[in-house]
Amino acid sequence: MAAHLKKRVYEEFTKVVQQQHEDLSAKKLRLTKPSKSAALHVDLCKATSPADALQYLLQFARKPVEVESVEGVVRILLEHYYKENDASVRLKIASLLGLLSKTAGFSPDCIVDDAINTLQNEKSHQVLAQLLDTLLVIGTKLTENPSVRMRLVEVACKHLTDSSHGVRNKCLQLIGCLGPVEKGVAKDAESQAAKDVQKIIGDHFNDQDPRVRTAAIKAMLQLHERGLKLQQAIYGQACKLLADDYEQVRSAAVQLIWVLSQLYPESIVPIPSSNEEIRLVDDAFGKICHMVSDGSWVVRVQAAKLLGSMQQVSSHFLEQTLDKKLMSDLRRKRTAHERAKELYSSGEFSSGRKWGDDAPKEEIDTGAVNLIESGACGAFVHGLEDEMYEVRIAAVEALCMLAQSSPSFAEKCLDFLVDMFNDEIEEVRLQSIHTMRKISNNITLREDQLDTVLAVLEDSSRDIREALHELLCCTNVSTKEGIHLALVELLKNLTKYPTDRESIWKCLKFLGSRHPTLVLPLVPELLSTHPFFDTPEPDMDDPAYIAVLVLIFNAAKSCPTMPALFSDHTFRHYAYLRDSLSHLVPPLRLPGRKLVSSPTSPSITPHEDPSQLFLHQSLERVYNLQHLDPQGIQELLEFTIRDLQRLGELQSELAGVADFTATYLQCQLLLIKALQEKLWNVAAPLYLKQNALASAAAKQILEETYKMEFMYSGVESKQVVIIHHMRLQAKALQLIVTARTTRGVEPLFGMCEKFLQEVDSFQRCFISELPQMQGSFVDKLLDLMPRLVSSKPTEVVKILQTTLRQSTFLHLPLPEQLHRATANIIEPTGESDNPLRFTSGLVVALDVDATLEHVQDPQGTVKVQVLYPDGQAQLIHPKPADFRNPGPGRHRLITQVYLSHTAWTEPCQIEVRLLLAYNSNRSKAAAKIAKSTWNESLEALPQPENGIEGTIPFSKAVKVYIMPKPARR
Amino acid sequence: RPFLGFAAGAGQDVGRSCVLVSIAGKNVMLDCGMHMGYNDDRRFPDFSYITQNGRLTDFLDCVIISHFHLDHCGALPYFSEMVGYDGPIYMTHPTKAICPILLEDYRKITVDKKGETNFFTSQMIKDCMKKVVAVHLHQTVQVDEELEIKAYYAGHVLGAAMFQIKVGCESVVYTGDYNMTPDRHLGAAWIDKCRPDLLISESTYATTIRDSKRCRERDFLKKVHETVERGGKVLIPVFALGRAQELCILLETFWERMNLKAPIYFSTGLTEKANHYYKLFITWTNQKIRKTFVQRNMFEFKHIKAFDRAFADNPGPMVVFATPGMLHAGQSLQIFRKWAGNEKNMVIMPGYCVQGTVGHKILSGQRKLEMEGRQILEVKMQVEYMSFSAHADAKGIMQLIRQAEPRNVLLVHGEAKKMEFLKQKIEQEFHVNCYMPANGETTTIFTNPSIPVDISLGLLKRETAIGPLPDAKKPKLMHGTLIMKDNSFRLVSPEQALKELGLAEHQLRFTCRVHIQDPRKEHETVLRVYNHLKGVLKDYSVQHLPDGSITVESILIQATAHSEDQGTKVLLVSWTYQDEELGSYLTSLLKKGLPQSTS
């Protein structure tokens, strides 16, 4: 036995070696002959066995083929195809044909006939299927050619009777993708054909192979997607498919039913086994609801998702989805929800449940209880209780969509959503909280529901808590007890998780302003005032006290009687809070209290107009007064900049615009200042010291322009052109300064060249905007372009200098909406005196939590920078999953930064800040270039700016105290 | 072919589950449970039903245990060791692991505490477990050449399974106890569309449709939370396995989520061993636990610690799980006595309590309890009832029937009155027969077994090539010869059959004369007939042969003048028996005469 085994081992071993030899020789051949169409031909002819040929083809497939030689290659392959006896080689050839016809720029008209011909004599089912696949590729490339499409569809119809499922599959796919869809336009013959296509596909709904059935339904859906109106007749067929044995068929059938219900919502269909008739959409809804309790979770997810988009369904059907008709021992039982509601409406507080509290009440007529066929009955109850969280999420989403369109349904589904707040999977909890927020304008929370909602405030997940705060911001509470409860729970939350401070204050702000009348009776209790006695003044720095005040002040805004209940210190605290937390405390009209009037007195409630006006006026002034003496201009600019900055601080809604314009004016001011320098009057060359200001100015302008371009959201191309223009001026200034201060001309050649290229690309990018730039620097420069190109560097510099000085100041049009990207690091706070100790060489994780506002695509742009005391800087790219999006324009970055360093002798501070990375390629201008010059070769276009990448710090640096200890031996 | 479903225990009754199925000559025993309510012979199923004389091993092909609850496996050592059975016993891996623990516990209580003799011993339990073959989910186990069994997930408790028993093309599915709604630690029962001939389903909650589980969970958590916040102590009497783990997971995750600090204790003993198995069989739990066990096995409780008797007197809030579940004895009763006097405390009964137990008394509102030694215990603590049951409700049972699509349903493990209602519903909705046998009653179900016949590939291909594509839903007619020989069936082509039987082929021809009134010449008549047939039979090849005859496919038609009446032509139609259909059609067509328009 052993000997025999040994022999077998040897045999096998030698076999392996031989194969390796073969491989090697094949490789050699390929190396000596670079494979093109001719080479392929030679190779294929040379191949002695099918295995060889297959090897050649496989190698050939690894390399791309140029557009020109595709046709030749196809011919060779076809030629070989007819000669080949081995099915696997033919299969490979067929797949290669498909690949080749996909080549961009190649039009497969010429090979259609050949490809169809190959089908004639093919016996192998696999090859046939592959060939049909190839035809599908060809067909999709030639969609504009109806005759080719018709032919292909005919071919496919012919092969539908094939005995192999693969072939039938492909045929149906082909018919689905290429079958004629234009019905109204075409003549009778064609519309007949269109009808036929549906009928042909429909016939295969009953195919014996589940894969073919699936393909048939998918083909039907494909036709629908391509714009063919499916006939209502297939509804019945589709319904039968819902009971199919195979999940993929059922899944596709659910989709088909949904499509039909959207197409013919109002048609009437009979209910089998009775004489009644119902709307098709209702029937379909019932059927899809039924699928929510299917055996396969894939189907369940599919069904639950689709339910959400069936908004035309009648309301009584919709409401059934939440009703499970409980019973116990054949007697009707009320659900816990109903009991809770009753308790509430009877004015009783929730009592502890007794055994038998849920005792069933009335007897049920046994005949009337429908256990399963009732379709819609309890679909969501099942969906929300499903085993797989995917199904639960889909059901919650569907609930959300349906509730948004039907207020009465929203009211009903509330109990279920509240229940979902206790799901075991956090994702589901979060989703249901978000859903509740989205439908919150349709609902009012009962007290017992509020109770359950508030219980979640103790969740240890910050995301959940914050989502809940967001939810509370926009909920309607029905009673004053509700408000009190909410406040108490929020304060509890505050003591448990002090980091939630901001979020809770904000939540109370909205709670207060939404329910002024409910807060009013609570005020004495909340402020703990007493009719006779003075109570001690609360601590002003207590976050909980601030929270209470935020609630009261916001309620007082629309409730003028409330301030009468305040005690003296409350007014003082109001003044303090109005100043320190102005975003949370609204201006109040307080009777006869001079004390309260802060710098921005409450009387200017309608702000927008005057401040907007002010902004425009000050800008007008700057733009109009061109002919002031340089000194005057400078002063005016300085004042305007100061005004704008102050305006930005005061008016948060105008901050973006004000900052933006201020930055622009700052650039202009710098430019003017630089040009006022004495150095221009002195003969070159000059000391290095004197040009310091000018070159620094140029540098700063460059930086500022990048900030303007990338830090603001809502910048339009009108502004981009001005920004680029400013940047061009700065570059010109740089060039002049360099020319003035360096000896020798050589370095200037390169710089001049580069600058001219930039002017050139500027012109390309903004050719449409040029007419609006009369008299500007670039306008003048372009006039002088022919001269500049031919002159020497020194000449160029001189021309530049004069143009720069003569050019006018461009008017910066204000965009509609402009927001400055801001970031605020919440954690680390930078207040800790305890250094973070860790062993040197090992890593410590620092939690970073920051809010970002108005950052587009934060995943790609926001970086964290860590600066060590030794000047070493680290740039950390947070994971995309670390960004959350709590609301439009706002993002939250919660990430961990890993720190490590060699040992220090004593603790030291490192700086953490957020950076906004930019890449001028991404800018709008660059995109424009890319579009306009697509056909030209990109290399020919010099792109000096291409790939300039940089970062703008956009948050305050936070200091963290760390201490890497030497490792203990 | 009859096939028997036979309930030895558990017919129309809860407890003492034992069903005997005899399917296609194979006998299988499903579950072997004990009855909690009896302490005499009635606690075990009456095995003399099975066979009066002869050994059980000879009669039974195998025994299947669905899960580890004692009402499904309690009689197993008695059955195998004391009555005597040596054949295979099948159960899932977790059941095999946990079952002996429970049996040992049961034995201890009966023998050591109650002092019964003539009961099975520890060694018997061990010997019994040696006969057990463990199976995996969805694993097809070949018991012998014909009998195969397969397990499906059933929820209910860890390791609970439904079993499909199959002999040839006949099959039975036995559900055991199952749960169609997932809970905190287990998933929902699932079965594929296996279309068994018989589905034997439990029907504990035949007349109940339950409310969402979430409300109950939320209520439970809220109550525990409130009491703990008030500084009170919570006592939850549980049985060691099953619900206890669910409640543990529930509280553990809640503590984790809400960042609570109050200690949770679990009385030790049995449970520690059981928890160990829960940790081990993570694949049998629900989605959440399965997906997160890589980070942390949920059964490695962070907040739940082992209980020590001394802890009961500790100040401050705490939650204690203690056995047994009905407060009738043991640790839970001790703790209850200590805590009952304080109204801040709470006791939560998570399940049904048998009449006469302390649990039942306090649930029915009794506030003054008489304990042993005539002392009166005043109950001031709050008493709550929270039902966490893991059986399928009526809707769940219907859902399972819909999934499996059985041809017959048999209900066991329930009360007769309730089963009646469900039976009626099942018959009405699914149009299948439904049975509910009483204990010891035998139900016979007739099946339509399909009989496999071997067919040669050549014949199959030839026959399928004719006519439309085969359709799964429509029967297809085939021509061939059925040879029944040596207990096997073969379908072969006629030629093959003739060859095998050594017979010569005979041709059978039908000839028919049709008289037609036509005064014209013979060949003209033939021509007219030809034209007529050609017009009618477009799809067939109709040929006019030079010798004056017509062929339609293989049917020959000749015309001769009538010997007496020249005006009447006699058409001779002749066909072989294979073309019987076309031939008779042709004759009937010709008998109608030729259309006048063609003349």
Side-chain angles (χ1 to χ4, degrees), chain A residues 411 414 436 439-447 449-450 471-479 482-483 510-511 514-515 518:
Chain A
E411 195 73 44
L414 209 56
M436 185 102 140
I439 62 170
S440 57
N441 46 346
N442 281 340
I443 52 169
T444 306
L445 282 181
R446 279 201 324 266
E447 213 167 295
Q449 288 164 339
L450 189 70
L471 165 65
L472 286 177
C473 282
C474 45
T475 12
N476 301 317
V477 181
S478 47
T479 57
I483 293 281
F510 284 99
L511 215 53
R514 284 177 85 96
H515 308 97
L518 297 181

Side-chain angles (χ1 to χ4, degrees), chain A residues 672-683:
Chain A
I672 293 172
K673 270 190 184 161
L675 289 173
Q676 297 294 318
E677 278 290 288
K678 287 198 203 86
L679 79 123
W680 311 115
N681 307 328
V682 186

Side-chain angles (χ1 to χ4, degrees), chain A residues 87-150:
Chain A
S88 56
V89 179
R90 287 208 304 276
L91 182 72
K92 185 67 206 165
I93 293 179
S95 88
L96 271 181
L97 288 180
L99 271 179
L100 286 170
S101 8
K102 267 186 204 157
T103 316
F106 170 71
S107 165
D109 305 56
C110 42
I111 60 167
V112 172
D113 293 317
D114 299 292
I116 293 176
N117 278 337
T118 52
L119 283 169
Q120 302 292 323
N121 299 316
E122 186 54 62
K123 289 279 177 298
S124 160
H125 296 302
Q126 279 173 314
V127 181
L128 261 179
Q130 188 60 52
L131 281 171
L132 285 165
D133 194 47
T134 306
L135 287 180
L136 177 61
V137 172
I138 294 174
T140 37
K141 283 209 87 174
L142 294 173
T143 33
E144 303 82 47
N145 191 337
S147 67
V148 169
R149 264 174 33 202
M150 282 307 284

Side-chain angles (χ1 to χ4, degrees), chain B residues 367-404:
Chain B
R367 287 320 231 171
K368 285 207 167 98
L369 298 175
E370 195 173 330
M371 309 306 279
E372 302 134 41
R374 300 195 170 241
Q375 68 194 93
I376 301 273
L377 182 69
E378 198 172 346
V379 182
K380 282 190 189 152
M381 77 199 298
Q382 297 175 56
V383 179
E384 295 289 345
Y385 172 72
M386 205 58 67
S387 137
F388 281 87
S389 173
H391 288 273
D393 61 358
K395 232 173 171 171
I397 295 171
M398 298 299 266
Q399 209 179 326
L400 187 87
I401 295 174
R402 183 163 82 105
Q403 272 184 19

Side-chain angles (χ1 to χ4, degrees), chain B residues 191-231:
Chain B
I191 196 162
D192 54 18
K193 239 177 228 193
C194 51
R195 300 203 172 87
D197 291 302
L198 175 64
L199 178 87
I200 303 175
S201 169
E202 65 132 330
S203 50
T204 320
Y205 285 96
T207 53
T208 304
I209 300 178
R210 268 202 312 252
D211 199 357
S212 141
K213 203 155 190 127
R214 289 175 195 290
C215 295
R216 269 173 288 154
E217 281 178 6
R218 201 190 55 210
D219 271 6
F220 173 75
L221 293 173
K222 203 173 142 192
K223 273 172 191 151
V224 173
H225 190 188
E226 276 172 1
T227 312
V228 166
E229 264 194 353
R230 262 203 315 266

Side-chain angles (χ1 to χ4, degrees), chain A residues 245 353 369 419 460 496, chain B residues 195 218-219 257-258 425:
Chain A
D245 282 10
R353 195 195 307 176
V369 182
D419 278 350
S460 60
K496 202 161 180 181
Chain B
R195 300 203 172 87
R218 201 190 55 210
D219 271 6
R257 254 183 72 197
M258 297 306 187
K425 279 289 152 198

Side-chain angles (χ1 to χ4, degrees), chain B residues 1-5 21-25 167-172 195-199 406-408 433 435 443-451:
Chain B
R1 309 243 301 185
F3 138 5
L4 303 161
V21 169
S22 142
I23 167 175
V167 181
C169 54
E170 293 178 330
S171 61
V172 183
R195 300 203 172 87
D197 291 302
L198 175 64
L199 178 87
R407 292 191 194 90
N408 296 285
N433 291 324
Y435 307 90
T443 308
T444 310
I445 289 156
F446 292 92
T447 56
N448 271 331
S450 42
I451 299 162

Side-chain angles (χ1 to χ4, degrees), chain A residues 699-754:
Chain A
K699 223 184 214 164
Q700 201 185 340
I701 296 173
L702 278 181
E703 264 174 33
E704 298 283 337
T705 54
Y706 282 120
K707 272 191 197 170
M708 286 171 77
E709 192 174 349
F710 296 106
M711 256 178 71
Y712 294 85
S713 63
V715 180
E716 292 155 29
S717 59
K718 275 186 292 187
Q719 284 90 39
V720 173
V721 68
I722 308 276
I723 296 166
H724 276 247
H725 181 249
M726 181 53 83
R727 196 176 299 159
L728 203 63
Q729 280 174 311
K731 280 180 179 159
L733 184 66
Q734 240 175 357
L735 179 64
I736 300 165
V737 173
T738 326
R740 274 276 171 161
T741 52
T742 39
R743 272 172 224 277
V745 207
E746 287 76 31
L748 284 184
F749 275 117
M751 285 186 73
C752 282
E753 181 109 346
K754 215 172 146 208

